[in-house]
Amino acid sequence: MLKTIRLKNILFIMLGTAIYAFGLVNFNIQNGLGEGGLTGITLILLHFLHIDPAYSNILLNAPLFLIGWRVFGSRAFMYTGIGTLSLSLFLWIFQRIPFTLDLHSDLLLVTLFAGGFTGIGLGIVFRYGGTTGGSDIIAKLLNYKKGISMGRTLFLFDALVLTASISYLDIRQVMYTLVAVFIGARVIDFVQEGAYAARGAMIISQKNEKIADRVMQTMNRGVTILEGRGGFSKLDQDVLYIVVAKNEIIQLKQIIDSIDPHAFVSVSTVHDVMGEGFTLDENKNPLD
């Protein structure tokens, strides 16, 4: 198992939880905003029982780990454990390090920063294979046992926690919390997928062979030839599929235009790419 655990992933998971914890302490807690998921429950316990979220996070996650450890693969379980423990560690640290950011009681700015820190922090954690436990474990358990989608479970859990937060937050604070949660979700998507986006091109041309050869020779990119058939003409026609880096799409278009100006080209955004030239080198070794 240890061979599958990468130090790079561990370090980035810890970095992500540090960013997330900093935002929770200095924006959510200091300015009276709630949070979704299990973290939101720790904030409720902080308000009513004065239990440090650093401790309640571990206490609430412990039974979930005992129930769900068989559901996770060994690597995912290890990364989840690291994420959960490091989140508690950084929550404990940042609550004891004085830091005051005077935003002049501007809850809109607080909300933007809270959502941003949540999204960046959790986005990094998720990008490197970790989670912070909590509702992620519950969602995975229900998906495994009952076939309920993880997205539906996470949404329902967040909704219940935010509803419960009305017990100590006023409606204005709850509404700002909803905005922060929404911003956080969008930033998570950007960090996970949008920070690097390749381009995929579908090309239909009478000169596909020349285009494919030029792309492989000058751009050093692979080309996949798909079998297609015209819906109107009913004629068989090969279709080229090429994935290139975002900054290479102009060069690809220039190659196509120089060979066949009448080619049909469809370009789409590819949010995640795995394989040679992107995550592997020519010897099939991972690119770090």
Side-chain angles (χ1 to χ4, degrees), residues 245-262:
K246 184 166 57 176
N247 61 346
E248 294 177 321
I249 191 64
I250 299 299
Q251 182 183 0
L252 176 62
K253 289 180 179 180
Q254 290 173 343
I255 290 174
I256 297 169
D257 186 63
S258 67
I259 296 174
D260 183 4
H262 304 291

Side-chain angles (χ1 to χ4, degrees), residues 46-254:
L46 172 65
H47 179 82
F48 288 108
L49 301 177
H50 305 290
I51 301 175
D52 191 326
Y55 303 135
S56 57
N57 181 59
I58 294 178
L59 291 174
L60 292 173
N61 271 295
L64 296 177
F65 272 97
L66 293 176
I67 295 171
W69 70 273
R70 290 184 178 179
V71 178
F72 293 88
S74 58
R75 179 170 60 178
F77 182 76
M78 180 66 72
Y79 286 156
T80 296
I82 292 169
T84 302
L85 293 175
S86 61
L87 175 60
S88 287
L89 172 64
F90 288 117
L91 283 171
W92 188 90
I93 291 173
F94 289 131
Q95 287 181 96
R96 286 154 180 82
I97 296 177
F99 182 85
T100 302
L101 184 62
D102 186 7
L103 296 177
H104 304 289
S105 301
D106 189 335
L107 269 184
L108 179 58
L109 274 179
V110 170
T111 299
L112 293 174
F113 277 106
F117 272 84
T118 295
I120 293 171
L122 290 182
I124 292 173
V125 171
F126 296 157
R127 189 178 181 91
Y128 286 89
T131 74
T132 55
S135 53
D136 298 327
I137 299 178
I138 296 173
K140 193 163 188 175
L141 276 170
L142 290 178
N143 180 257
Y144 179 76
K145 295 290 186 181
K146 303 294 184 179
I148 302 173
S149 72
M150 291 183 65
R152 181 180 301 178
T153 301
L154 290 170
F155 175 79
L156 179 61
F157 196 79
D158 282 347
L160 290 173
V161 172
L162 290 173
T163 300
S165 298
I166 298 177
S167 60
Y168 76 100
L169 300 176
D170 59 35
I171 295 298
R172 179 169 174 265
Q173 290 171 311
V174 172
M175 295 300 289
Y176 274 114
T177 298
L178 285 171
V179 174
V181 170
F182 177 80
I183 293 171
R186 301 284 73 79
V187 176
I188 286 173
D189 290 341
F190 174 78
V191 174
Q192 281 192 282
E193 301 175 350
Y196 175 81
R199 296 291 184 265
M202 303 280 287
I203 304 163
I204 301 175
S205 167
Q206 297 300 317
K207 301 178 180 179
N208 275 346
E209 188 173 339
K210 290 184 178 180
I211 294 173
D213 289 341
R214 182 79 62 83
V215 168
M216 289 186 287
Q217 290 172 5
T218 62
M219 299 185 66
N220 197 29
R221 290 295 185 187
V223 179
T224 299
I225 301 176
L226 308 175
E227 294 182 357
R229 174 178 292 182
F232 177 76
S233 67
K234 306 302 180 184
L235 298 176
D236 292 337
Q237 172 68 58
D238 288 341
V239 180
L240 302 183
Y241 180 66
I242 305 169
V243 176
V244 297
K246 184 166 57 176
N247 61 346
E248 294 177 321
I249 191 64
I250 299 299
Q251 182 183 0
L252 176 62
K253 289 180 179 180
Q254 290 173 343

